[in-house]
Amino acid sequence: MDMACGGRIYFGTVLLERNRWGQGARRPSLAVSGWVQRIADEGFDGLELWENHVLLAGEDELGRLCESPAPVRVLNCYDHCEDATAGARSRAVELARFFSAEGMKFNFGREPARHEEYVRNVKAWRAQLPPAFRFLCECHGGTTVEDPQRAAETFARMGRDTCEVIVHGFGGTDEDLRRRFKLHEGRITHVHARLPDGGAAAEPEVRMRVELLAALGFRGSYTVEFTEGVGDDGESPEALFRNAVRDLKLLRRCLGG
């Protein structure tokens, strides 16, 4: 797996979006283009762009993001790899090409009886993308690859270069993280980070986890996906942004950069 992006830290635009978990279309409540200069100025290495922040935001927003000082590095896609949603997957490929993104986050679907359908569609989706493209499976809870053992078996059957794996590097136990790294044998190349609350007070905990990731062989990239305050009543994008910048600086310190 390509570790050329190792040490980069991206800003997940879903972090700012209060409609991130809404039902139905999950229409964006803000224009990401209004934030990208600040994101770049604070030192993020680019965006992990929630697909709806461009798909449901109009052509003008697409153009503004194309010229963003914070480039789109990873497209955050929510398709569940069903036969009926092939068109959505093709649009995601087009977007990734449009932005010259290095990768795409995706997930399998949620119905165990349809697992082979998802496998077939993941392979077909991957085949539409360049060989060096980072096809990043989140293995999210509730999907058919939530269990690390089943995920590893699925990926091995699909072929070594089909996809890479995301872990939530600052949640769960150390033992769970060790198990995932052992099972995935070098596939883990990206971390979704939601650092512990508390800012500088959490630094010892964050540093220990960063050291564990390094000891397990992780040399990949990170996205500040969520931060303190996400999901709270009356959450403020401005407050969330400040917390995300705080987390960026903490994570950089712990990474030695």
Side-chain angles (χ1 to χ4, degrees):
M1 298 296 176
D2 182 9
M3 292 291 188
C5 303
R8 287 183 178 175
I9 304 175
Y10 307 138
F11 184 94
T13 68
V14 72
L15 181 153
L16 296 172
E17 181 54 60
R18 70 169 180 262
N19 292 337
R20 66 183 78 84
W21 295 315
Q23 298 299 313
R26 293 193 294 178
R27 292 194 172 276
S29 62
L30 51 79
V32 169
S33 59
W35 295 83
V36 291
Q37 187 64 59
R38 295 176 67 188
I39 290 168
D41 289 346
E42 292 291 352
F44 285 94
D45 296 308
L47 305 177
E48 181 173 319
L49 178 68
W50 184 50
E51 60 182 350
N52 284 4
H53 275 146
V54 61
L55 288 175
L56 301 181
E59 291 294 326
D60 289 347
E61 182 71 351
L62 182 67
R64 286 189 289 265
L65 290 174
C66 185
E67 299 173 356
S68 166
V72 176
R73 303 292 192 186
V74 177
L75 183 66
N76 183 339
C77 184
Y78 277 78
D79 185 81
H80 285 166
C81 302
E82 299 167 356
D83 287 346
T85 57
R89 292 190 292 278
S90 293
R91 285 193 295 275
V93 170
E94 291 170 4
L95 273 182
R97 289 175 176 159
F98 178 82
F99 287 118
S100 299
E102 72 194 28
M104 182 191 303
K105 183 229 82 175
F106 77 98
N107 273 303
F108 282 58
R110 296 177 175 273
E111 299 180 41
R114 302 177 71 178
H115 183 65
E116 292 307 313
E117 174 187 342
Y118 307 148
V119 168
R120 182 177 67 253
N121 288 325
V122 166
K123 291 174 69 175
W125 197 2
R126 180 65 183 88
Q128 298 178 62
L129 296 159
F133 190 82
R134 305 179 68 200
F135 202 44
L136 297 159
C137 185
E138 191 178 21
C139 303
H140 203 283
T143 69
T144 61
V145 291
E146 172 184 10
D147 177 72
Q149 180 70 49
R150 190 179 196 198
E153 292 169 355
T154 297
F155 299 150
R157 182 160 54 92
M158 291 168 64
R160 178 68 187 169
D161 296 324
T162 302
C163 61
E164 302 172 31
V165 172
I166 298 171
V167 293
H168 293 82
F170 298 89
T173 65
D174 289 357
E175 187 54 41
D176 176 66
L177 199 59
R178 291 189 185 96
R179 179 173 179 245
R180 290 176 187 273
F181 271 84
K182 182 177 181 179
L183 285 168
H184 289 306
E185 299 181 324
R187 289 185 188 275
I188 298 172
T189 64
H190 191 62
V191 164
H192 273 172
R194 201 285 192 191
L195 301 190
D197 294 349
E203 183 161 344
E205 184 179 351
V206 173
R207 189 170 296 277
M208 285 191 292
R209 186 53 67 90
V210 166
E211 290 173 353
L212 175 59
L213 286 164
L216 292 170
F218 181 72
R219 302 291 184 272
S221 51
Y222 295 79
T223 292
V224 178
E225 183 189 29
F226 294 126
T227 190
E228 185 172 359
V230 165
D232 291 353
D233 290 341
E235 65 176 38
S236 157
E238 181 61 40
L240 294 177
F241 181 75
R242 291 196 300 269
N243 286 344
V245 171
R246 179 197 67 187
D247 290 351
L248 168 71
K249 294 177 179 177
L250 173 54
L251 187 52
R252 285 230 192 271
R253 287 200 302 273
C254 293
L255 289 168

